[in-house]
Amino acid sequence: MQQPTREELLSWDRWHVWHGFTQMAEYEPLVLVEGQGCRLRDLDGRWYLDGVASLWCNVHGHRHPRLDAALQGQLAQVAHVTNLGASNVPAIQLARRLAELAPPGLEHVFFSDSGSTAVEVALKMAFQYWRQRPQPRPEKTRFLALAEAYHGDTLGSVSVGGIELFHEIFRPLLFPCFRAPAPDTYRTPDGVPPDQLTPYYLQQVENILQAHHHQIAAMIVEPLVQCAAGILVHPPGFLRGLRQLTRQYNVLLIADEVAVGFGRTGRMFACQHEEVQPDFLCLGKGLTGGYLPMAATLTTTEIWNAFLGRYEDNRTFFHGHTYGGNPLAAAVALANLELFEEERLLESLPAKIERLREHLERISRLEHVGHVRQCGLIAGIELVEDRTTKRPYPRPQRRGWQVCLQARSEGVLLRPLGDVVVIFPPLAISLPDLDFLCQVVERSIAAVCS
């Protein structure tokens, strides 16, 4: 078959490929053809530092020999078998390893294929659990989530999402959800000092639980950081407080660690920072090191037991995914987790996190940087028209996107969240590359916002 020309590829990309979260009327193709380490090469031979870990999922860099070998080795065995009533060796081993690594008590693993589906699984399990537990509570049908939450793009995960720009158009299709304020540490409530933010926001959650706990099946939260909301970093103790409140009011807790899991916050899982044991742990993105689509929902034996019974009891979880537990994805996920140990990746993170903090401290002094937020190796830099009043730029100016285009011209790939410039590199990034990334971000902000 004759290979398409460069012009054909660009034309087909514009016309045939419908890109997610992209206005196709304005789309300018960027076709990436090769990866090595933390860099990617485009169709024209230009190399870029991958500053967003290929949408927050790459861990050890591109084309890591161990991950490549794991994938190739599994190809020599079998590429796919169903997970519905059957299993495969890598998926079994991966489930065991995840149960060992996760917060205590999460011993049962349901595989799916994306972060959205991992959340969807948790929502449906929580709903069904209350009908099938030894003392059924069928009235518990509702969910509690935070404002500005993002939990994926399926209708269930959108229902618990709270970003109006993304979700409002679908409102007629969604189930209603109780909503607590997002614990914002930048645009804070009037009269609430910084040291009182945690109790203030927890009180807002408790007000809802007090009034409606008898209806609420579960609360869902992105532990420590609401990433798609603009890297909103929660105040210390908020997550631990949520766990205490949900236990007090007999509500399950779903921890959505799709973005923040697998070392991104400096610990393997974000929940571990505040020693929180959720009832569900949703994983995706970094699970396979950024190689293949795979997700997992972990839960407790108490919840697992509510689904056990005879065939005719219809207690089965009637949910499944064609590629759930795919052996190729499971094999590379196992190798990904082995690399955390072999390369002592978590031990390398404090130096990188501190270096990022130093760069952010300097960047925060730029005239149009209103706020910088960091949790581990995640950072958000919010651009504003006026620092004193925190007035944002008019949306049509797209300052965040302009900064990212400027950075691309200097060899760094970034993707903003509105006017929040996001730094989210592979965990394997070197200190010199991290310096380069932050210096380019600084220069790009200065050039676009001067």
Side-chain angles (χ1 to χ4, degrees):
M1 180 179 176
Q2 184 176 355
Q3 292 298 309
T5 65
R6 175 186 182 278
E7 288 69 28
E8 285 175 327
L9 285 171
L10 298 180
S11 175
W12 297 346
D13 187 33
R14 286 191 185 95
W15 183 247
H16 293 297
V17 182
W18 196 335
H19 294 268
F21 287 90
T22 301
Q23 176 46 255
M24 295 306 297
E26 300 175 352
Y27 171 65
E28 288 298 326
L30 173 64
V31 182
L32 301 168
V33 299
E34 181 184 358
Q36 288 290 341
C38 293
R39 281 177 163 74
L40 294 162
R41 181 175 66 85
D42 72 10
L43 196 61
D44 297 318
R46 291 188 293 264
W47 285 91
Y48 305 91
L49 183 62
D50 187 355
V52 288
S54 293
L55 201 57
W56 310 354
C57 66
N58 192 279
V59 175
H60 305 286
H62 302 276
R63 294 297 315 276
H64 193 289
R66 285 277 283 105
L67 301 183
D68 288 4
L71 188 55
Q72 292 161 2
Q74 183 58 40
L75 275 171
Q77 301 297 316
V78 63
H80 181 62
V81 294
T82 182
N83 197 41
L84 278 63
S87 199
N88 64 81
V89 172
I92 296 168
Q93 292 175 309
L94 178 59
R96 172 66 176 180
R97 189 69 184 118
L98 289 173
E100 291 171 342
L101 291 171
L106 298 170
E107 298 181 333
H108 307 279
V109 182
F110 192 100
F111 288 114
S112 59
D113 47 29
S114 75
S116 300
T117 60
V119 167
E120 197 89 9
V121 165
L123 296 174
K124 291 175 73 174
M125 281 184 177
F127 182 92
Q128 190 170 342
Y129 162 79
W130 288 108
R131 280 157 178 71
Q132 298 181 179
R133 68 197 292 265
Q135 296 81 38
R137 296 283 305 277
E139 72 278 11
K140 290 171 83 69
T141 61
R142 302 282 295 275
F143 292 89
L144 171 58
L146 296 177
E148 301 302 313
Y150 177 85
H151 297 290
D153 297 324
T154 57
L155 287 179
S157 59
V158 169
S159 293
V160 292
I163 300 178
E164 188 170 322
L165 177 64
F166 299 166
H167 302 151
E168 185 58 34
I169 191 172
F170 302 111
R171 196 62 55 199
L173 302 177
L174 309 179
F175 58 73
C177 178
F178 292 110
R179 189 81 55 188
D184 194 335
T185 58
Y186 177 45
R187 292 182 168 85
T188 55
D190 291 341
V192 181
D195 64 348
Q196 291 301 305
L197 287 174
T198 296
Y200 171 84
Y201 286 118
L202 287 174
Q203 185 62 58
Q204 309 312 302
V205 173
E206 183 166 16
N207 291 344
I208 296 171
L209 290 173
Q210 256 180 346
H212 303 289
H213 64 91
H214 60 286
Q215 296 177 262
I216 299 174
M219 179 173 187
I220 184 168
V221 64
E222 300 163 80
L224 304 190
V225 191
Q226 291 179 244
C227 288
I231 316 298
L232 295 183
V233 178
H234 295 168
F238 180 73
L239 178 63
R240 186 183 300 113
L242 288 185
R243 176 70 283 191
Q244 292 167 349
L245 287 172
T246 51
R247 283 208 173 105
Q248 178 183 340
Y249 288 97
N250 201 20
V251 167
L252 300 173
L253 181 64
I254 301 170
D256 174 359
E257 292 217 23
V258 171
V260 299
F262 299 106
R264 182 53 57 179
T265 64
R267 302 287 296 272
M268 182 60 82
F269 299 113
C271 283
Q272 294 169 331
H273 285 276
E274 298 193 359
E275 299 180 345
V276 163
Q277 299 171 17
D279 300 291
F280 296 93
L281 181 67
C282 301
L283 304 174
K285 289 192 183 293
L287 175 56
T288 67
Y291 266 55
L292 287 171
M294 189 179 216
T297 305
L298 281 67
T299 194
T300 65
T301 296
E302 179 183 349
I303 290 167
W304 159 275
N305 284 341
F307 290 80
L308 302 183
R310 298 186 305 274
Y311 173 81
E312 60 268 25
D313 294 337
N314 290 329
R315 299 171 73 85
T316 301
F317 186 48
F318 291 110
H319 183 106
H321 296 263
T322 300
Y323 285 94
N326 172 260
L328 292 176
V332 78
L334 277 168
N336 168 42
L337 296 177
E338 289 167 2
L339 277 174
F340 269 89
E341 295 184 8
E342 293 172 13
E343 300 190 348
R344 304 175 74 172
L345 186 58
L346 293 178
E347 294 176 39
S348 76
L349 293 180
K352 299 175 185 181
I353 292 167
E354 175 59 21
R355 184 69 65 89
L356 176 58
R357 188 198 63 77
E358 292 169 0
H359 284 294
L360 291 174
E361 186 177 349
R362 187 183 66 255
I363 291 170
S364 71
R365 296 193 286 270
L366 292 175
E367 181 182 359
H368 291 285
V369 170
H371 196 224
V372 298
R373 302 182 277 272
Q374 180 188 5
C375 181
L377 215 55
I378 305 171
I381 304 165
E382 184 164 345
L383 309 177
V384 294
E385 191 170 54
D386 188 296
R387 283 171 59 111
T388 303
T389 64
K390 305 180 183 179
R391 184 177 69 245
Y393 281 106
R395 187 163 173 261
Q397 292 187 16
R398 302 183 69 191
R399 293 296 180 118
W401 183 244
Q402 297 303 321
V403 168
C404 294
L405 287 179
Q406 177 64 31
R408 187 188 300 182
S409 73
E410 292 200 43
V412 170
L413 285 183
L414 298 170
R415 185 172 176 83
L417 291 163
D419 282 342
V420 177
V421 178
V422 177
I423 296 176
F424 209 115
L427 297 185
I429 191 170
S430 67
L431 289 175
D433 275 350
L434 185 58
D435 291 339
F436 173 68
L437 168 58
C438 293
Q439 289 159 4
V440 168
V441 167
E442 182 177 14
R443 288 197 298 268
S444 298
I445 292 172
V448 168
C449 301
S450 59

